[in-house]
C-alpha cells in the first residue's frame, strides 16, 4: 500500500474505482492528520509572533508565560525577578519580548543549561532585561560565522529601539545577555 499522500495520485485512484477504496481512505486519513498538524503548528507560530498575553496583559505577564513555557519544554529550572509594574507599550514592549524570544532560542540551541535566570526591571529611563544561564558559555570575541545572524540581529533590534544589548560569557561558565531599551521612543520615533 502506498502512503504517498499526493492529491493527484488520490484523484487517479478515485477514477480507477472501488478496488482502490480502502487504500484511498487510508491515505485520505493521513492527509487529514497532516493538515490538522500543520494547522496546529501554524496557530502556535502565529501565537508566538503576536502573543495575546503581550497585548492583553502586558510585557511582564507575556515574558513570564513565554519563559515558563520554554523552560518547561527544555527542562530548565528558572528563577524570575519581573517587575510587574513596568508597563511599556507598543513597540517598546514588543522589542523587549522579541529579544527575549531570540535570547531563549539561543540558550536552547547552544547553552545546555540547567538553570536560567530572567530579570525584567528598570535602570534609570531604561527597561532592563537580563537573561543569564549556567550553560556552556562561549568566547564572545571569537569570530562569528558569516551565516550566523542571531547575535547581529539582536544587536540591531536593540539599537533600532534606541537601546543596546550586552553579552558577557565565558566558556564553561554560562552567558548573561542584558538588554537596555528606553521605556519610551525618543522624539516619537517609530521602530520595529
Amino acid at each position: 500500500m502506498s502512503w504517498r499522500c499526493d492529491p493527484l495520485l488520490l484523484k487517479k485512484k478515485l477514477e480507477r474505482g472501488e478496488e482502490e477504496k480502502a487504500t484511498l481512505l487510508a491515505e485520505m486519513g493521513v492527509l487529514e492528520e497532516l493538515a490538522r498538524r500543520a494547522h496546529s503548528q501554524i496557530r502556535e507560530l502565529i501565537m508566538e509572533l503576536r502573543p495575546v498575553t503581550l497585548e492583553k496583559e502586558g510585557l511582564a505577564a507575556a515574558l513570564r508565560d513565554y519563559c515558563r513555557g520554554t523552560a518547561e519544554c527544555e527542562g530548565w529550572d528558572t528563577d524570575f525577578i519581573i517587575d510587574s509594574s513596568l508597563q511599556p507599550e507598543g513597540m517598546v514592549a514588543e522589542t523587549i519580548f522579541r529579544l527575549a524570544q531570540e535570547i531563549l532560542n539561543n540558550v536552547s540551541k547552544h547553552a545546555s543549561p540547567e538553570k536560567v535566570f530572567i530579570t525584567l526591571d528598570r535602570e534609570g529611563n531604561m527597561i532592563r532585561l537580563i537573561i543569564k544561564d549556567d550553560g556552556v558559555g562561549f568566547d564572545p570575541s571569537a569570530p562569528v560565522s558569516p551565516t550566523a545572524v542571531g547575535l547581529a540581529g539582536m544587536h540591531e533590534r536593540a539599537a533600532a529601539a534606541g537601546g543596546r544589548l550586552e553579552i558577557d560569557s565565558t566558556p564553561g561558565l554560562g552567558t548573561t545577555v542584558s538588554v537596555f531599551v528606553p521605556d519610551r521612543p525618543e522624539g516619537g520615533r517609530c521602530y520595529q
Side-chain angles (χ1 to χ4, degrees):
M1 175 166 29
S2 168
W3 288 99
R4 287 186 48 217
C5 293
D6 181 344
L8 293 175
L9 181 63
L10 292 176
K11 184 177 179 185
K12 285 180 184 177
K13 286 182 179 182
L14 270 173
E15 292 168 354
R16 285 192 205 139
E18 199 64 32
E19 69 274 359
E20 297 282 336
K21 188 174 183 178
T23 301
L24 182 62
L25 288 172
E27 289 183 14
M28 288 180 78
V30 170
L31 274 176
E32 277 183 317
E33 181 58 29
L34 288 173
R36 227 179 266 115
R37 278 193 228 151
H39 180 264
S40 176
Q41 289 173 344
I42 289 170
R43 194 172 189 302
E44 286 177 26
L45 286 171
I46 289 169
M47 295 307 285
E48 264 190 45
L49 289 173
R50 197 96 181 138
V52 174
T53 309
L54 182 60
E55 291 181 15
K56 289 188 177 181
E57 298 177 37
L59 178 61
L63 185 61
R64 190 176 288 114
D65 286 353
Y66 186 79
C67 293
R68 278 188 182 139
T70 303
E72 186 177 306
C73 286
E74 297 293 334
W76 304 331
D77 186 19
T78 55
D79 272 343
F80 296 95
I81 301 173
I82 295 181
D83 182 348
S84 296
S85 71
L86 291 175
Q87 297 296 324
E89 297 178 1
M91 292 308 295
V92 173
E94 190 167 336
T95 296
I96 294 167
F97 186 78
R98 297 287 173 238
L99 285 165
Q101 285 179 310
E102 184 64 27
I103 294 164
L104 290 172
N105 183 46
N106 284 345
V107 171
S108 175
K109 287 196 304 193
H110 306 293
S112 302
E114 290 182 19
K115 190 155 192 150
V116 178
F117 305 87
I118 297 106
T119 302
L120 179 69
D121 61 10
R122 178 179 300 284
E123 183 176 278
N125 70 334
M126 305 291 259
I127 295 175
R128 179 176 65 173
L129 169 69
I130 301 171
I131 298 180
K132 178 179 180 176
D133 68 68
D134 65 355
V136 298
F138 68 99
D139 179 0
S141 66
V144 178
S145 165
T147 59
V149 295
L151 292 177
M154 290 190 300
H155 281 287
E156 289 170 8
R157 186 181 288 271
R164 69 184 189 282
L165 182 126
E166 298 172 357
I167 300 171
D168 181 25
S169 187
T170 303
L173 299 177
T175 301
T176 301
V177 180
S178 303
V179 176
F180 301 86
V181 176
D183 59 2
R184 288 187 175 74
E186 293 178 17
R189 191 171 79 193
C190 183
Y191 51 83
Q192 291 189 9

